[in-house]
Amino acid sequence: MICSPWSKAVYAGAVLVAILLAGCSNDIVCPINENESDPFIGASVLETRLVQGAHASVMVFCTSDPLPAIFVVSVSDRSISEITVGEPLGLVATLEEDAIIWQNSQACSLKVTTEWGFAKAIEPVPGPFSVVPPDGVSLGDTLFVEWATAADADYYKVECVIRGARGDSLVLSQATTDTTAVFVPADITLAGELEGRITAVAGPYPGSGSDGNVTGGGWGYFTVSYYDTLSLFELTVADTAGIARRR
């Protein structure tokens, strides 16, 4: 059985940072807003089915100057009442459930109300898919990872961690609209056991030209993601040529 090396807290923090970096960066084309004071909204839904059970996680981040005095959030009419103040300065609404709330191909509709008005976005839950188990790889080789197409997915996130014999680790990650990921020898610099997962994502691709999909009284990005046990893979990264010893 493969165990996820990423905790919920680390994942939520990474998503928050990614959303914030996506806003008006060199890689993301921000939508044109008639009212530049509209709040920025970054939201994500992640649903998983693993051997330890199903899980749904929702996070909605909102920031403006000043911060909203009104912040009412729901996804598909399910109210999210857990509100905190996050860093960077903004309001964060979160929901954690040990169950799948929205089924594959079901539309998730985000609704956020502030004093600036009503903001909304909608994306479907991507469907299940399977990874073609990659063969083992050695240092100095290229790693190819392939998987089947997921219904309703706009792109995929490939995340791997290699754990070395000395307790060290190496993280590999990639986002792609294809169903193949390639990690070249320069990416793979540690021998050990590799655990990986592929997440199907519906929403704006984190690359050049990606517009936000939140409209109305706010602007920003809303994504819905899914993975399950068929989306996981593991293999051994060997050092058959003694490359690590020569470094």
XYZ file of all heavy atoms in Angstrom, residues 85-173:
665
model
N -8.685 33.941 9.988
C -7.846 34.931 9.313
C -6.525 34.270 8.986
O -5.864 33.702 9.863
C -7.619 36.180 10.187
C -6.683 37.160 9.482
C -8.947 36.850 10.514
N -6.136 34.288 7.704
C -4.925 33.605 7.269
C -3.828 34.566 6.898
O -4.013 35.781 6.847
N -2.671 34.023 6.660
C -1.510 34.780 6.194
C -1.117 34.273 4.824
O -1.017 33.061 4.629
C -0.330 34.616 7.164
C -0.532 35.274 8.502
C -0.590 36.789 8.419
O -0.104 37.336 7.405
O -1.124 37.415 9.341
N -0.858 35.170 3.830
C -0.982 36.618 3.896
C -2.401 37.028 4.281
O -3.320 36.226 4.212
C -0.643 37.086 2.481
C -0.077 35.911 1.781
C -0.507 34.694 2.484
N -2.547 38.283 4.667
C -3.769 38.750 5.285
C -4.986 38.486 4.406
O -5.089 38.965 3.286
C -3.665 40.248 5.587
C -4.786 40.823 6.456
C -4.832 40.105 7.802
C -4.588 42.317 6.666
N -5.895 37.709 4.922
C -7.118 37.383 4.206
C -7.998 36.500 5.060
O -7.587 36.006 6.115
N -9.213 36.281 4.616
C -10.151 35.403 5.303
C -10.145 34.046 4.625
O -10.120 33.948 3.404
C -11.554 36.003 5.268
C -11.713 37.378 5.921
C -13.152 37.868 5.772
C -11.318 37.344 7.387
N -10.183 32.988 5.440
C -10.111 31.629 4.923
C -11.299 30.832 5.452
O -11.505 30.730 6.664
C -8.799 30.930 5.329
C -8.739 29.530 4.730
C -7.587 31.741 4.891
N -12.076 30.278 4.539
C -13.178 29.385 4.901
C -12.767 27.960 4.553
O -12.302 27.697 3.444
C -14.449 29.771 4.148
N -12.918 27.022 5.486
C -12.483 25.639 5.259
C -13.583 24.651 5.653
O -14.405 24.918 6.530
C -11.212 25.315 6.064
O -11.445 25.574 7.462
C -10.037 26.142 5.584
N -13.535 23.509 5.000
C -14.462 22.417 5.284
C -13.714 21.109 5.085
O -13.043 20.925 4.067
C -15.675 22.472 4.345
C -16.651 21.291 4.406
C -17.380 21.273 5.748
C -17.648 21.355 3.255
N -13.795 20.214 6.059
C -13.181 18.890 5.970
C -14.241 17.848 6.294
O -14.917 17.937 7.325
C -12.014 18.755 6.965
C -10.889 19.755 6.770
C -10.001 19.451 5.583
O -10.075 18.297 5.091
O -9.254 20.335 5.150
N -14.407 16.867 5.406
C -15.386 15.808 5.615
C -14.763 14.454 5.279
O -14.081 14.314 4.275
C -16.609 16.020 4.718
C -17.512 17.166 5.147
C -18.389 16.811 6.342
O -18.407 15.621 6.733
O -19.049 17.712 6.875
N -15.018 13.461 6.127
C -14.544 12.099 5.860
C -15.565 11.364 4.997
O -16.104 10.312 5.365
C -14.298 11.353 7.168
C -13.093 11.906 7.913
O -12.165 12.381 7.243
O -13.108 11.882 9.157
N -15.841 11.940 3.849
C -16.783 11.350 2.897
C -16.673 12.129 1.594
O -16.198 13.270 1.574
C -18.218 11.417 3.425
N -17.086 11.492 0.510
C -17.202 12.199 -0.760
C -18.511 12.980 -0.736
O -19.586 12.413 -0.539
C -17.192 11.219 -1.943
C -15.797 10.587 -2.089
C -17.596 11.917 -3.229
C -14.723 11.536 -2.551
N -18.436 14.289 -0.885
C -19.636 15.131 -0.834
C -20.246 15.282 -2.225
O -21.457 15.197 -2.403
C -19.301 16.515 -0.244
C -18.674 16.373 1.144
C -20.555 17.375 -0.172
C -18.208 17.687 1.741
N -19.373 15.504 -3.216
C -19.838 15.698 -4.586
C -19.263 14.586 -5.454
O -18.062 14.340 -5.448
C -19.406 17.076 -5.086
C -19.943 18.162 -4.198
C -21.228 18.615 -4.137
C -19.216 18.903 -3.204
N -21.345 19.587 -3.176
C -20.129 19.788 -2.587
C -17.888 18.899 -2.787
C -19.751 20.664 -1.570
C -17.502 19.765 -1.768
C -18.429 20.633 -1.174
N -20.108 13.922 -6.182
C -19.716 12.762 -6.954
C -19.015 13.174 -8.256
O -19.123 14.320 -8.707
C -20.944 11.904 -7.270
C -21.674 11.413 -6.033
C -20.800 10.578 -5.110
O -20.076 9.685 -5.568
N -20.861 10.841 -3.814
N -18.301 12.223 -8.851
C -17.615 12.468 -10.121
C -18.602 12.971 -11.167
O -19.720 12.466 -11.285
C -16.937 11.198 -10.616
C -15.914 10.662 -9.639
O -16.049 9.551 -9.154
N -14.891 11.432 -9.334
N -18.166 13.987 -11.917
C -18.937 14.658 -12.968
C -20.028 15.581 -12.433
O -20.666 16.293 -13.210
C -19.558 13.661 -13.945
O -18.528 12.933 -14.608
N -20.244 15.612 -11.103
C -21.193 16.561 -10.538
C -20.580 17.955 -10.528
O -19.393 18.124 -10.250
C -21.576 16.154 -9.118
C -22.573 17.100 -8.447
C -22.916 16.658 -7.031
O -22.534 15.570 -6.597
N -23.634 17.508 -6.306
N -21.370 18.968 -10.829
C -20.876 20.341 -10.831
C -20.800 20.878 -9.409
O -21.729 20.700 -8.612
C -21.777 21.230 -11.674
N -19.675 21.512 -9.091
C -19.522 22.214 -7.819
C -19.655 23.709 -8.088
O -18.875 24.279 -8.854
C -18.158 21.927 -7.204
S -17.992 20.289 -6.510
N -20.626 24.333 -7.451
C -20.848 25.759 -7.658
C -20.410 26.533 -6.431
O -20.920 26.319 -5.331
C -22.322 26.036 -7.966
O -23.149 25.533 -6.940
N -19.442 27.411 -6.612
C -18.923 28.249 -5.543
C -19.722 29.555 -5.491
O -19.966 30.185 -6.520
C -17.448 28.562 -5.789
C -16.803 29.613 -4.876
C -16.628 29.062 -3.467
C -15.465 30.070 -5.456
N -20.114 29.950 -4.276
C -20.800 31.223 -4.074
C -20.152 31.945 -2.894
O -20.027 31.374 -1.814
C -22.287 31.008 -3.797
C -23.039 30.324 -4.927
C -24.505 30.095 -4.576
C -25.235 29.364 -5.698
N -26.657 29.113 -5.352
N -19.736 33.176 -3.121
C -19.109 33.986 -2.084
C -19.788 35.349 -2.057
O -19.837 36.037 -3.084
C -17.594 34.170 -2.321
C -16.984 35.045 -1.228
C -16.892 32.815 -2.384
N -20.297 35.722 -0.896
C -20.949 37.020 -0.734
C -20.118 37.902 0.188
O -19.758 37.486 1.295
C -22.361 36.869 -0.155
O -23.138 36.031 -1.009
C -23.045 38.225 -0.032
N -19.783 39.095 -0.275
C -19.126 40.116 0.531
C -19.888 41.425 0.330
O -20.863 41.477 -0.431
C -17.651 40.306 0.122
O -17.609 40.881 -1.195
C -16.896 38.983 0.128
N -19.439 42.480 0.984
C -20.092 43.775 0.769
C -19.860 44.321 -0.635
O -20.524 45.268 -1.056
C -19.649 44.804 1.821
C -18.160 45.030 1.895
C -17.522 44.206 3.003
O -17.844 42.997 3.098
O -16.711 44.751 3.752
N -18.931 43.701 -1.389
C -18.711 44.094 -2.778
C -19.716 43.428 -3.724
O -19.757 43.743 -4.896
C -17.298 43.750 -3.216
C -16.273 44.704 -2.698
C -15.825 45.862 -3.275
C -15.561 44.579 -1.462
N -14.893 46.463 -2.484
C -14.694 45.701 -1.355
C -15.560 43.644 -0.427
C -13.859 45.904 -0.265
C -14.730 43.841 0.657
C -13.896 44.963 0.720
N -20.476 42.461 -3.193
C -21.463 41.796 -4.024
C -21.330 40.284 -3.969
O -20.745 39.708 -3.042
N -21.842 39.645 -5.001
C -21.951 38.193 -5.070
C -21.000 37.664 -6.140
O -21.109 38.029 -7.315
C -23.399 37.824 -5.397
C -23.626 36.370 -5.617
C -23.546 35.463 -4.585
C -23.938 35.904 -6.886
C -23.775 34.117 -4.801
C -24.168 34.561 -7.114
C -24.081 33.664 -6.067
N -20.043 36.825 -5.743
C -19.095 36.221 -6.681
C -19.412 34.738 -6.824
O -19.869 34.095 -5.866
C -17.659 36.408 -6.198
N -19.142 34.188 -8.002
C -19.494 32.789 -8.230
C -18.530 32.144 -9.226
O -17.851 32.822 -9.998
C -20.919 32.678 -8.750
C -21.137 33.375 -10.087
C -22.586 33.270 -10.522
C -22.791 33.972 -11.869
N -24.193 33.851 -12.342
N -18.506 30.817 -9.198
C -17.752 30.014 -10.168
C -18.323 28.607 -10.126
O -18.946 28.202 -9.131
C -16.268 30.000 -9.853
N -18.105 27.855 -11.187
C -18.609 26.486 -11.233
C -17.635 25.604 -12.009
O -17.119 26.018 -13.051
C -20.020 26.426 -11.860
C -20.610 25.016 -11.765
C -20.026 26.931 -13.291
C -22.081 24.950 -12.086
N -17.338 24.424 -11.477
C -16.478 23.447 -12.119
C -16.966 22.051 -11.756
O -17.480 21.838 -10.652
C -15.013 23.597 -11.689
C -14.327 24.883 -12.134
C -14.067 24.951 -13.634
O -14.159 23.887 -14.296
O -13.779 26.049 -14.126
N -16.792 21.058 -12.628
C -17.205 19.682 -12.313
C -16.135 18.930 -11.533
O -14.950 19.299 -11.546
C -17.389 19.066 -13.691
C -16.371 19.783 -14.535
C -16.326 21.192 -14.016
N -16.548 17.869 -10.864
C -15.595 16.966 -10.220
C -15.029 16.035 -11.288
O -15.789 15.321 -11.950
C -16.273 16.127 -9.118
C -15.250 15.195 -8.465
C -16.925 17.022 -8.083
N -13.712 16.017 -11.506
C -13.145 15.112 -12.518
C -13.452 13.650 -12.201
O -13.641 13.270 -11.041
C -11.640 15.399 -12.444
C -11.549 16.782 -11.891
C -12.689 16.891 -10.918
N -13.483 12.845 -13.250
C -13.778 11.433 -13.077
C -12.554 10.623 -12.691
O -11.415 11.102 -12.743
N -12.752 9.364 -12.288
C -11.636 8.489 -11.920
C -10.821 8.102 -13.149
O -11.313 8.124 -14.279
C -12.323 7.272 -11.303
C -13.677 7.250 -11.937
C -14.057 8.691 -12.154
N -9.581 7.749 -12.922
C -8.673 7.349 -13.997
C -7.595 6.477 -13.391
O -7.462 6.398 -12.161
C -8.055 8.576 -14.680
C -7.208 9.403 -13.753
C -5.823 9.291 -13.763
C -7.786 10.289 -12.852
C -5.033 10.037 -12.899
C -7.006 11.048 -11.992
C -5.629 10.923 -12.011
N -6.825 5.815 -14.216
C -5.791 4.914 -13.709
C -4.437 5.252 -14.302
O -4.332 5.709 -15.441
C -6.146 3.453 -14.019
O -6.284 3.272 -15.413
N -3.405 5.018 -13.513
C -2.020 5.228 -13.936
C -1.487 3.940 -14.540
O -1.746 2.843 -14.025
C -1.138 5.644 -12.745
C 0.308 5.826 -13.183
C -1.662 6.930 -12.115
N -0.770 4.050 -15.649
C -0.049 2.915 -16.202
C 1.212 2.739 -15.358
O 2.075 3.627 -15.347
C 0.324 3.140 -17.677
C 1.110 1.946 -18.218
C -0.929 3.396 -18.509
N 1.327 1.647 -14.605
C 2.463 1.526 -13.682
C 3.797 1.674 -14.406
O 4.114 0.898 -15.315
C 2.294 0.113 -13.107
C 0.850 -0.201 -13.293
C 0.456 0.470 -14.568
N 4.577 2.688 -14.031
C 5.878 2.853 -14.685
C 6.876 1.816 -14.196
O 6.779 1.318 -13.065
C 6.299 4.266 -14.269
C 5.580 4.507 -12.974
C 4.299 3.733 -13.048
N 7.819 1.478 -15.054
C 8.888 0.581 -14.644
C 9.836 1.314 -13.707
O 9.822 2.537 -13.608
C 9.666 0.090 -15.868
C 8.800 -0.759 -16.796
O 7.914 -1.454 -16.277
O 9.024 -0.707 -18.021
N 10.674 0.548 -13.014
C 11.696 1.163 -12.199
C 12.648 1.976 -13.061
O 12.758 1.774 -14.278
N 13.342 2.890 -12.447
C 14.246 3.778 -13.171
C 15.551 3.881 -12.394
O 15.575 3.702 -11.166
C 13.594 5.175 -13.358
C 13.421 5.875 -12.021
C 14.394 6.035 -14.325
N 16.631 4.134 -13.094
C 17.938 4.309 -12.467
C 18.381 5.748 -12.598
O 17.926 6.488 -13.492
C 18.981 3.400 -13.121
O 18.652 2.037 -12.954
N 19.251 6.176 -11.697
C 19.857 7.502 -11.831
C 20.517 7.610 -13.197
O 21.194 6.691 -13.639
C 20.893 7.733 -10.725
C 20.361 7.876 -9.291
C 21.530 8.089 -8.327
C 19.375 9.022 -9.184
N 20.277 8.730 -13.859
C 20.810 8.912 -15.201
C 19.809 8.577 -16.291
O 20.068 8.839 -17.469
N 18.661 7.972 -15.905
C 17.619 7.638 -16.871
C 16.489 8.673 -16.826
O 16.373 9.454 -15.880
C 17.030 6.257 -16.578
C 18.020 5.136 -16.808
O 19.020 5.383 -17.521
O 17.804 4.036 -16.270
N 15.631 8.638 -17.835
C 14.434 9.476 -17.884
C 13.239 8.672 -17.387
O 13.075 7.502 -17.749
C 14.175 9.972 -19.317
O 15.268 10.790 -19.737
C 12.897 10.796 -19.387
N 12.420 9.270 -16.563
C 11.227 8.619 -16.028
C 10.001 9.086 -16.811
O 9.737 10.290 -16.919
C 11.051 8.951 -14.544
C 9.731 8.503 -13.899
C 9.596 6.981 -13.943
C 9.640 9.019 -12.465
N 9.255 8.136 -17.351
C 8.008 8.425 -18.064
C 6.839 7.896 -17.231
O 6.853 6.736 -16.804
C 7.994 7.752 -19.439
C 9.054 8.246 -20.377
C 10.304 7.626 -20.417
C 8.825 9.324 -21.220
C 11.294 8.064 -21.282
C 9.808 9.770 -22.082
C 11.043 9.151 -22.114
N 5.847 8.737 -17.005
C 4.647 8.343 -16.276
C 3.450 8.599 -17.179
O 3.295 9.698 -17.720
C 4.492 9.125 -14.958
C 3.287 8.607 -14.186
C 5.748 9.021 -14.109
N 2.603 7.592 -17.355
C 1.426 7.720 -18.222
C 0.166 7.352 -17.446
O 0.211 6.563 -16.505
C 1.558 6.800 -19.436
C 2.733 7.114 -20.345
C 2.806 6.150 -21.509
O 3.301 5.028 -21.298
O 2.344 6.521 -22.600
N -0.959 7.905 -17.870
C -2.227 7.600 -17.225
C -3.367 7.787 -18.226
O -3.208 8.391 -19.279
C -2.444 8.486 -16.001
C -2.398 9.962 -16.289
C -3.454 10.794 -16.585
C -1.228 10.794 -16.313
N -3.017 12.082 -16.787
C -1.643 12.118 -16.623
C 0.143 10.566 -16.099
C -0.768 13.185 -16.737
C 1.016 11.633 -16.212
C 0.575 12.911 -16.510
N -4.530 7.246 -17.863
C -5.719 7.378 -18.708
C -6.340 8.765 -18.534
O -6.077 9.464 -17.552
C -6.732 6.295 -18.344
N -7.154 9.158 -19.487
C -7.829 10.455 -19.423
C -8.923 10.425 -18.358
O -9.662 9.453 -18.232
C -8.463 10.802 -20.779
O -7.439 10.839 -21.772
C -9.179 12.133 -20.735
N -9.004 11.496 -17.585
C -10.064 11.647 -16.593
C -11.161 12.535 -17.170
O -10.876 13.619 -17.696
C -9.519 12.255 -15.306
N -12.394 12.107 -17.093
C -13.506 12.916 -17.582
C -13.560 14.249 -16.848
O -13.353 14.312 -15.625
C -14.824 12.162 -17.378
N -13.785 15.313 -17.601
C -13.968 16.674 -17.069
C -12.682 17.307 -16.534
O -12.739 18.403 -15.962
C -15.039 16.702 -15.961
C -16.399 16.258 -16.465
O -16.838 16.778 -17.505
O -17.013 15.392 -15.820
N -11.532 16.673 -16.712
C -10.274 17.262 -16.235
C -9.731 18.256 -17.258
O -9.733 17.986 -18.459
C -9.244 16.185 -15.957
N -9.269 19.397 -16.775
C -8.599 20.371 -17.639
C -7.092 20.165 -17.651
O -6.424 20.477 -18.635
C -8.914 21.795 -17.176
C -10.371 22.161 -17.390
O -10.836 22.055 -18.543
O -11.047 22.535 -16.414
N -6.558 19.657 -16.546
C -5.133 19.358 -16.490
C -4.872 18.401 -15.332
O -5.806 18.010 -14.607
C -4.292 20.630 -16.360
C -4.419 21.384 -15.051
C -3.510 21.200 -14.019
C -5.434 22.321 -14.852
C -3.601 21.910 -12.835
C -5.538 23.026 -13.680
C -4.627 22.822 -12.668
O -4.730 23.527 -11.492
N -3.615 18.010 -15.179
C -3.225 17.050 -14.157
C -2.010 17.567 -13.390
O -1.131 18.210 -13.962
C -2.882 15.691 -14.785
C -3.991 15.126 -15.635
C -4.107 15.470 -16.982
C -4.928 14.251 -15.095
C -5.132 14.964 -17.767
C -5.958 13.734 -15.875
C -6.050 14.102 -17.208
O -7.070 13.605 -17.982
N -1.975 17.259 -12.105
C -0.801 17.545 -11.275
C -0.115 16.224 -10.940
O -0.739 15.309 -10.415
C -1.202 18.267 -9.991
C -1.737 19.660 -10.188
C -1.909 20.389 -8.875
C -2.891 19.678 -7.968
N -3.106 20.412 -6.694
N 1.166 16.143 -11.260
C 1.965 14.957 -10.962
C 2.900 15.320 -9.813
O 3.689 16.267 -9.919
C 2.775 14.508 -12.191
C 3.519 13.216 -11.888
C 1.868 14.338 -13.397
N 2.809 14.585 -8.723
C 3.621 14.866 -7.530
C 4.261 13.576 -7.048
O 3.573 12.570 -6.865
C 2.755 15.478 -6.429
C 2.084 16.788 -6.842
C 0.976 17.195 -5.903
O -0.107 16.576 -5.977
O 1.193 18.117 -5.103
N 5.577 13.623 -6.845
C 6.328 12.439 -6.406
C 7.278 12.845 -5.290
O 7.747 13.981 -5.234
C 7.154 11.847 -7.545
S 6.268 11.556 -9.080
N 7.578 11.895 -4.432
C 8.632 12.082 -3.448
C 9.518 10.840 -3.472
O 9.024 9.709 -3.489
C 8.074 12.344 -2.031
C 7.221 11.197 -1.541
C 9.210 12.641 -1.057
N 10.826 11.062 -3.527
C 11.805 9.977 -3.456
C 12.426 10.017 -2.066
O 12.932 11.069 -1.639
C 12.908 10.136 -4.522
C 12.300 10.207 -5.923
C 13.898 8.976 -4.435
C 13.300 10.554 -7.008
N 12.395 8.905 -1.376
C 12.981 8.818 -0.039
C 14.264 7.995 -0.118
O 14.240 6.832 -0.510
C 11.992 8.191 0.948
C 10.701 8.984 1.063
C 9.824 8.479 2.200
N 8.541 9.141 2.214
C 8.314 10.366 2.690
N 9.322 11.062 3.204
N 7.107 10.890 2.666
N 15.377 8.648 0.240
C 16.678 7.996 0.184
C 16.953 7.127 1.403
O 16.248 7.191 2.419
N 18.011 6.345 1.323
C 18.361 5.422 2.400
C 18.830 6.141 3.655
O 18.784 5.585 4.755
C 19.451 4.455 1.920
N 19.283 7.375 3.521
C 19.798 8.135 4.663
C 18.764 9.074 5.261
O 19.100 9.969 6.033
C 21.040 8.925 4.247
C 22.188 8.043 3.753
C 23.375 8.881 3.338
N 24.483 8.047 2.876
C 25.640 8.529 2.425
N 25.828 9.850 2.376
N 26.595 7.701 2.024
N 17.516 8.897 4.903
C 16.475 9.750 5.439
C 16.255 11.032 4.653
O 15.402 11.841 5.021
N 17.017 11.233 3.586
C 16.831 12.420 2.765
C 15.717 12.172 1.764
O 15.300 11.036 1.540
C 18.123 12.808 2.043
C 18.823 11.611 1.416
O 18.383 10.481 1.649
O 19.820 11.815 0.697
N 15.209 13.236 1.168
C 14.094 13.093 0.241
C 14.191 14.126 -0.872
O 14.881 15.142 -0.752
C 12.760 13.241 0.980
O 12.645 14.540 1.546
N 13.501 13.846 -1.949
C 13.464 14.731 -3.110
C 12.041 14.747 -3.650
O 11.437 13.694 -3.857
C 14.426 14.228 -4.194
C 14.390 14.968 -5.542
C 14.915 16.395 -5.378
C 15.201 14.216 -6.593
N 11.500 15.958 -3.855
C 10.145 16.109 -4.371
C 10.202 16.496 -5.848
O 10.963 17.394 -6.241
C 9.371 17.178 -3.574
C 8.003 17.436 -4.209
C 9.199 16.744 -2.127
N 9.405 15.809 -6.652
C 9.257 16.132 -8.067
C 7.806 16.516 -8.309
O 6.896 15.869 -7.791
C 9.607 14.917 -8.945
C 10.963 14.264 -8.732
C 11.077 13.007 -9.600
C 12.087 15.229 -9.055
N 7.569 17.547 -9.103
C 6.193 17.944 -9.391
C 6.112 18.534 -10.790
O 7.093 19.057 -11.326
C 5.694 18.968 -8.365
O 6.459 20.159 -8.424
